[in-house]
Amino acid sequence: MKLRNVSTLFALILASSLAAADIKIGVIASSTGPTAVVGIPQKNTVALLPTEIGGQKVEYIVLDDASDPTNAVTGVKKLISESKVDALIGPTTTPAALAMLDFVAESRIPLVTTVGSSAVILPLDDKKRWVFKTTQNDDLIAAALIDHMMAAGVKTLGFIGFNDPYGENWFKVFSAMAEKAGLKMVASERYNRTDQSVTGQALKVITAKPDAVLVAATGGPAVLPQTSLQEKGYKGRIYQTHGVATNDFIRIGGKAVEGTLMAGGPMLVAADLAGGNPIKAVAQGYIKAYEGKYGPGTMSTFGANTYDAGLLLQKAIPTALKKAKPGTVEFREALRDALEQSKEVVGAQGVFNMNAQNHNGMDQRARVMMTVKDGRWMLLKD
């Protein structure tokens, strides 16, 4: 009996040890609130991520921050202290990501973020060295927009952006690049994500008579300035950032967003990509898997950002496992180092080449110019 009890105890200890070795990945997404159009596909994509990597079971713990940075901080604290996660994916918004930085760095947990602004990784410092980013940096997108504006004969610009880090970083990056290119900014306005009207801002921009207007916003709230400009008679070109790279933007905006010009990730127009483009197969694979689970026309660039975060972790985890066990600081540090050494990782949105100075690693392959035509995004040929 004693021998049997010892054997049973040993088995329980062994089982407990193995269970503790499971990899835990926390995910924070805004599946409710003003940014839900962005956050829902991010949450949904988690079901498509691998449940085993390097011979280890992977558990994903998904929390909703309801589009509120305070909730995001509460969520990340819970994931760190209670769930003991090895890595984080998300959140949905730039303000939430910036609010989480202290806790991520203090706990030494790698965060693969899906937000738009480069402010979460630049300038790289002791806190941001724990953060990696699967969306295109603002300057990469801005350069494509400016090239298109110059080719189209645009000389003067208006700007309407979020009154938060996303809008401010876009203005900072874009205005400097536009000025260098010889474009003149004649109007600059801000609004809040929850505002129900931007009529005043639209009228001020129209009064300045710009050749084109850039809207720097994300998700459903990005539609409001565009519809307001058109309702008040603006006839110039309207550009958007990659914060609207989703079919929901067209569904919400309808005819008002026809003709929208945007630079964004190639996944949204994967069918139009050249056959030799390495991103095409991955992008179409993601679209097939996502729409197979959630229905035709449901795929989103924002979900693809989460998918690419999963791909980066899938490549980096086996390397980290050679150095330490999941659930330890040593494993998290090794995982951070492995992510920083990612080379030619082909995702649905681009190809990633990270290094100690660049925690985004995307190049011009990660962006294309597109427009809304006949109710869908279409690739603009060079």
Side-chain angles (χ1 to χ4, degrees), residues 133-194:
K133 182 169 172 286
T134 60
T135 55
Q136 301 85 347
N137 281 344
D138 300 341
D139 59 348
L140 186 67
I141 299 296
L145 293 174
I146 289 170
D147 286 346
H148 188 275
M149 291 173 181
M150 297 291 289
V154 172
K155 298 185 182 302
T156 57
L157 293 167
F159 180 94
I160 303 179
F162 278 158
N163 186 29
D164 68 17
Y166 185 85
E168 290 306 319
N169 196 69
W170 252 99
F171 182 77
K172 177 182 176 182
V173 171
F174 180 80
S175 60
M177 293 175 67
E179 182 180 1
K180 188 175 181 179
L183 298 171
K184 184 179 181 182
M185 189 74 70
V186 296
S188 176
E189 296 293 326
R190 302 290 186 278
Y191 73 109
N192 297 316
R193 293 174 185 252
T194 55

Side-chain angles (χ1 to χ4, degrees), residues 175 238 247 284 355:
S175 60
I238 299 178
N247 289 329
Q284 289 186 317
N355 58 52

Side-chain angles (χ1 to χ4, degrees), residues 25 27-29 35 37-46 48-49 60 88-94 111-117 132-138 140-141 166 218-219 241-246 262-268 279 282-283 286-287 290 298-314 339 345-352 354 359-360 362 366-367:
I25 298 175
V27 182
I28 295 181
T35 325
V37 167
V38 179
I40 289 172
Q42 293 177 336
K43 180 197 73 171
N44 287 348
T45 298
V46 175
L48 308 179
L49 301 183
Y60 299 94
L88 292 160
I89 296 176
T92 298
T93 68
T94 298
L111 165 65
V112 187
T113 188
T114 53
V115 305
S117 177
F132 301 83
K133 182 169 172 286
T134 60
T135 55
Q136 301 85 347
N137 281 344
D138 300 341
L140 186 67
I141 299 296
Y166 185 85
T218 65
T241 70
H242 54 323
V244 302
T246 170
M262 179 191 70
M267 190 281 296
L268 203 56
I279 299 167
V282 179
Y286 169 69
I287 293 169
Y290 191 95
T298 56
M299 65 86 174
S300 163
T301 290
F302 306 120
N305 297 145
T306 297
Y307 188 72
D308 285 353
L311 289 176
L312 284 166
L313 287 168
Q314 187 176 15
L339 284 166
V345 178
V346 181
Q349 285 283 73
V351 181
F352 298 91
M354 308 283 191
H359 280 197
N360 175 244
M362 301 173 103
R367 57 122 206 253

Side-chain angles (χ1 to χ4, degrees), residues 121-132:
I121 57 170
L122 294 174
L124 201 62
D125 55 24
D126 287 343
K127 292 180 183 179
K128 295 176 183 178
R129 71 185 294 270
W130 290 92
V131 185
F132 301 83

Side-chain angles (χ1 to χ4, degrees), residues 166-245:
Y166 185 85
E168 290 306 319
N169 196 69
W170 252 99
F171 182 77
K172 177 182 176 182
V173 171
F174 180 80
S175 60
M177 293 175 67
E179 182 180 1
K180 188 175 181 179
L183 298 171
K184 184 179 181 182
M185 189 74 70
V186 296
S188 176
E189 296 293 326
R190 302 290 186 278
Y191 73 109
N192 297 316
R193 293 174 185 252
T194 55
D195 285 350
Q196 299 300 306
S197 172
V198 292
T199 299
Q201 295 94 320
L203 288 172
K204 288 179 182 178
V205 169
I206 291 171
T207 299
K209 298 180 180 180
D211 297 329
V213 176
L214 173 65
V215 177
T218 65
V223 174
L224 186 58
Q226 187 154 344
T227 55
S228 299
L229 286 166
Q230 296 204 348
E231 286 170 359
K232 298 304 177 183
Y234 182 69
K235 301 298 182 183
R237 296 172 181 266
I238 299 178
Y239 291 82
Q240 290 269 1
T241 70
H242 54 323
V244 302

